[in-house]
Amino acid sequence: MRFLFIFCFLLVAGSVNSQIVIDSLLNELQKTIDHKEEYVQAKLERIDNYKAQTSQSIDRFRIYFKIYEEYKTLNYDSAFTYAHKLQDEAYRSKDPSKIAFAKIKLGFILLSSGMFNEALDSLLSVDRNDLRDSSKKEFYHIVARTYFDLIDFNRDQYFTERYTRLGNLYIDSALVLCGKNSVECFSLRAMKNLRLEKIDDARKDFEYLLSNFKLTDSELAIAASTLAYIYQRIGDVDKAIEFLIQASMADNRSSTKETLAILNLAELLYKKGDEIHAYEYVKLAMDDANFYGARHRKIQVAAIFPIIEGNKLNTVEHQRKLLFVYAFLITVLSIMTIIFAVIIYKQFKRLKMAGKKIKEANANLQETNKLLQEVNTHLMEANKIKEEYIGYYFNINTEYIEKIETFKRSIDNKLLLKKFDDIRFVVGNINIKREREELYFSFDKVFLKLFPDFVNTFNSYFKEEDKIVLKDGQLLNTELRIFALIRMGIHDTEKIAKILDYSINTIYNYKARIKSKSLLPNEEFEGKIMSIQAI
């Protein structure tokens, strides 16, 4: 019994200590999340500086490579574009080593996007004789990783054995070129051991890396996330969470969007019962996947997102019901308090005490009424917005249906009459730009009907010289329209970009420029926008 008591005490103490460490790391992670946009902006500024050098630099290959390096874990489309530019520049130079180098970079970005066959096509077309030793190491490493990622993607026993063998052959080739006490050596050897199910050996290699080398954020993120996977496999979930937090912090600092660390962290925290952090992190994972643009990452996030989000909604609904019950009980108790106060007043004639209690009860009721009035105001505003925009939606769709119907009749008639040139003329007269401008004008008109003071209130947040001045006949401009959409509850930058037909980076730049001119702190600006009242 004594031994059992000591064992249980140590178990509980260890669990409490582990939770303290996790809570401390989660606080550190939150700090990096708070500065996430700053890290991204710094990276984008570096990219802009490099782009400005492309027209001046003689060595465009080097500049394109630097831009590619910045984009490769930030945005797939941009990285893919500059991988091709790097390849074009290499062919232009007719330098075999540069051509091989560029193919490796293209292979890596294709691998990162989940296009495994295309990645192998690019990589296996490389002539290894044209590579320097450093590039050969990278080549062998990326090919090995491609085969290993294919294993995880296919999950087929026949191909698993084949791809494991091929991947380890390339790992062995890379290890020959590595120094025995280098980061690459320990990292590659750990990767091989992991695929050979030598879990303990892989764990020791990665822990040695973290303890004895000063790793870059990218290297740290890979080592920590893989260690988390190892600890999860051996059943130490708390350790896995600790390493996933470290990996997520490193990803934020390096503005890495091509990552699964924060998604895996959300999944483990969800299973542990921390639904608040799990919901927050799975949304961040979805944002990162959309920003990077890799299809297989979106699929992976989409697999877990509805589960966590659904549970979050259930929790919120349960809490709402509890709050309703508590409010009802408080109301009943308040009424009972008043009744007992009156009885006490009549029986014991304690006028002052009874009066004080009645005043306190009235104060509570007034505060409750005030809160209810605020809630009703928000509900009325939401209903007003909903009514206006439902009408707006049906009106716009009715107009477009009529246009389509007229267009269809016209085409049908001309087809019957075989007036093909007239059809080409009709189609050519479709002005997408004008249609979009009419759509924006309709949105502006409905929005300003709901928020007539929006422009004046918005301008009150700026100095006189920074206020937005609209042209004649203009209801809103692009900057005002971005924040009008935010006021309508659309906070997703990608959605705003699609609505306004701009790139995500352009929307980020518009928002950053407006906030930088505002008299308000950046973190309070959107909150002020949301506080602008509807009529």
Side-chain angles (χ1 to χ4, degrees), residues 96-97 100 125-133 135-136 139-140:
S97 64
S125 69
V126 171
D127 187 343
R128 282 165 256 183
N129 295 323
D130 295 332
L131 294 172
R132 299 183 181 91
D133 283 351
S135 296
K136 280 184 181 178
F139 168 77
Y140 292 133

Side-chain angles (χ1 to χ4, degrees), residues 488-504:
M488 294 302 297
I490 303 174
H491 297 276
D492 189 328
T493 302
E494 185 181 11
K495 288 183 181 178
I496 294 173
K498 286 181 179 178
I499 291 170
L500 298 182
D501 195 30
Y502 287 110
S503 68
I504 293 174

Side-chain angles (χ1 to χ4, degrees), residues 87-102:
Q87 200 170 55
D88 292 342
E89 197 65 27
Y91 278 109
R92 195 174 291 116
S93 71
K94 298 180 180 179
D95 184 337
S97 64
K98 287 184 177 180
I99 293 171
F101 181 83

Side-chain angles (χ1 to χ4, degrees), residues 279 283 286-291 298 305 309 436 439-440 443 478 481-508 511:
Y279 183 66
K283 286 198 298 180
M286 179 62 82
D287 290 342
D288 285 346
N290 288 329
F291 193 98
K298 293 180 184 179
F305 185 84
E309 185 179 41
R436 188 176 293 279
L439 178 65
Y440 292 157
F443 168 81
T478 299
R481 204 170 285 125
I482 288 169
F483 288 96
L485 288 169
I486 290 173
R487 178 59 187 89
M488 294 302 297
I490 303 174
H491 297 276
D492 189 328
T493 302
E494 185 181 11
K495 288 183 181 178
I496 294 173
K498 286 181 179 178
I499 291 170
L500 298 182
D501 195 30
Y502 287 110
S503 68
I504 293 174
N505 287 342
T506 301
I507 299 300
Y508 271 119
K511 290 170 69 178

Side-chain angles (χ1 to χ4, degrees), residues 252-281:
N252 278 330
R253 289 192 298 267
S254 61
S255 298
T256 297
K257 304 292 185 181
E258 200 285 305
T259 176
L260 283 177
I262 197 135
L263 176 66
N264 293 334
L265 175 61
E267 187 174 3
L268 289 187
L269 289 174
Y270 170 72
K271 290 177 179 178
K272 201 176 180 187
D274 188 352
E275 295 171 2
I276 295 174
H277 281 115
Y279 183 66
E280 178 186 355
Y281 296 156

Side-chain angles (χ1 to χ4, degrees), residues 15-32:
S15 177
V16 170
N17 183 62
S18 179
Q19 189 57 48
I20 292 171
V21 172
I22 289 173
D23 290 341
S24 175
L25 286 171
L26 287 173
N27 289 333
E28 291 297 315
L29 174 57
Q30 187 58 49
K31 291 177 183 177
T32 65

Side-chain angles (χ1 to χ4, degrees), residues 209-220:
L209 268 178
L210 293 177
S211 302
N212 296 278
F213 290 91
K214 187 175 182 180
L215 304 177
T216 65
D217 281 327
S218 296
E219 292 169 341
L220 172 60

